[in-house]
Amino acid sequence: MDLQAGILQDGSPMESLEKQLICPICLEMFSKPVVILPCQHNLCRKCANDVFQAANPYWQSRGSLISGGRFRCPSCRHEVLLDRHGVYGLQRNLLVENIIDIYKQECSSRPLKKGEHPMCKEHEDERINIYCVTCEVPTCSMCKVFGAHKDCEVAPLQTVFQGQKTELNNCISMLVAGNDRIQTIISQLEDSCQSTEENSEAAKRELCARFDALAALLEEKKAELLQRISQEQADKTAFIQSLICQYKEQLEKSSRLVETAIQAAEETGGAAFLMNAKQLIKTIVEASKGGRLDKIEQGYESMDAFSVSLDHLTEAVHALDFDPAEEDEEYFDGEEEEVEE
């Protein structure tokens, strides 16, 4: 109490206190909210934000993808590192804010110097010293006695002043509390945005892994079916090649037999011809009867049995979709109820 009385009685301590409450950026008294830097110096939040924006021109907003930034304290040049919330992540100096409130209240309650007190416009020599409750305006005693407010209800100026000052401070507190709640909601929304991005990336990775596994399974199945076709091709080709070899051998034997028969037919001597003719005719007849080889069936070379229908798989792929999540539906229903409330 003695210290406060001394401050009020002497103008010099009040001036010294006021100098301590001056922002080094705007050179005005700190405006709410006041933020405290890691170096313990104070700045108006707006001024701190201006310095931060100037030092970080590419940092557009707190919703930006840029994680944070830095700037130097204008008082001590200490480097201040900020997170993604920018200056809104700095701690508020409630002590300085309370001191400013007390200082302003004490200054407003002190008697004004001569020539500083508001004077009545109707009665220039009368100071405004009462409050007209009916008209809700401050006025002077002469206006109450003889002037426009003689029939109005009045009250002491200081009483109304203290009441409205208290009401205004309550309104300010409500606004500050509301701003703090909004800031909390903004922080929660930013965290939700970041979580959404992280969860989306995880879902993308899981989806890619599932499709890669499905593609690998299809490649494995394709290789298996191709191997079966190749095996069937090899078996049929080997069988046909063996028939070709057998027919070539028979053709070669038949060609030699034809040559032998032609030479025998050219024989002019009857005795010589008859010595070999009977056996040669018998050999030709046996060769023509017993030399029949296997043949391939009609359509033996066809590979139609290895056709695969993928229509049902194509329809299944087109029908692929995300599973409906009942929890998400309940979550959205709960959100709608909250919004209605």
Side-chain angles (χ1 to χ4, degrees), residues 267 269-280:
E267 181 65 40
F273 174 79
L274 292 175
M275 290 178 62
N276 298 321
K278 187 175 182 179
Q279 183 62 36
L280 180 59

Side-chain angles (χ1 to χ4, degrees), residues 63-301:
S64 173
L65 295 177
I66 301 178
S67 59
R70 62 185 66 194
F71 70 99
R72 294 190 177 275
C73 173
S75 299
C76 65
R77 306 304 296 168
H78 177 79
E79 189 176 51
V80 180
L81 300 177
L82 300 181
D83 58 10
R84 61 190 180 88
H85 298 291
V87 298
Y88 289 86
L90 292 173
Q91 184 179 2
R92 290 176 57 181
N93 196 334
L94 299 179
L95 176 60
V96 172
E97 294 181 12
N98 293 334
I99 292 175
I100 291 175
D101 289 340
I102 296 173
Y103 174 82
K104 290 182 178 180
Q105 291 178 6
E106 295 296 338
C107 288
S108 62
S109 62
R110 292 174 57 196
L112 298 176
K113 297 180 181 179
K114 185 178 181 180
E116 295 181 354
H117 198 289
M119 307 300 288
C120 180
K121 294 182 179 180
E122 298 294 332
H123 309 89
E124 297 180 357
D125 295 334
E126 293 293 328
R127 301 196 322 183
I128 295 177
N129 55 3
I130 60 175
Y131 185 83
C132 178
V133 179
T134 305
C135 301
E136 297 183 345
V137 292
T139 184
C140 70
S141 301
M142 293 298 292
C143 289
K144 170 59 181 171
V145 177
F146 304 106
H149 302 283
K150 61 182 179 179
D151 297 327
C152 298
E153 180 183 356
V154 297
L157 187 67
Q158 191 65 22
T159 302
V160 179
F161 163 74
Q162 291 297 338
Q164 292 194 2
K165 191 69 174 293
T166 302
E167 184 178 356
L168 180 60
N169 288 334
N170 291 336
C171 293
I172 293 174
S173 300
M174 288 171 49
L175 287 176
V176 171
N179 291 341
D180 291 340
R181 287 194 298 270
I182 292 175
Q183 179 60 46
T184 301
I185 293 174
I186 291 174
S187 300
Q188 292 175 349
L189 292 175
E190 290 176 348
D191 294 339
S192 298
C193 183
Q194 182 177 0
S195 299
T196 300
E197 294 177 357
E198 294 174 354
N199 294 336
S200 298
E201 292 300 325
K204 290 178 182 178
R205 290 193 296 269
E206 181 181 0
L207 184 64
C208 290
R210 291 180 180 273
F211 270 84
D212 290 343
L214 180 59
L217 180 61
L218 289 175
E219 287 294 330
E220 181 180 355
K221 193 62 177 178
K222 183 179 73 172
E224 176 187 347
L225 296 179
L226 288 175
Q227 178 62 29
R228 289 174 57 184
I229 295 175
S230 299
Q231 184 63 43
E232 184 69 12
Q233 174 189 354
D235 293 343
K236 288 188 175 184
T237 303
F239 178 70
I240 295 173
Q241 290 292 342
S242 66
L243 290 181
I244 292 175
C245 292
Q246 294 176 18
Y247 276 99
K248 285 183 177 180
E249 291 177 0
Q250 184 178 2
L251 178 61
E252 185 177 356
K253 291 179 180 179
S254 178
S255 298
R256 289 198 299 267
L257 189 58
V258 169
E259 292 178 359
T260 303
I262 292 174
Q263 291 177 0
E266 292 176 353
E267 181 65 40
T268 57
F273 174 79
L274 292 175
M275 290 178 62
N276 298 321
K278 187 175 182 179
Q279 183 62 36
L280 180 59
I281 293 172
K282 183 179 179 180
T283 301
I284 293 174
V285 172
E286 291 178 355
S288 62
K289 290 181 179 181
R292 296 179 180 178
L293 300 176
D294 294 335
K295 297 181 180 179
I296 60 175
E297 298 177 356
Q298 185 176 2
Y300 179 79
E301 67 279 3

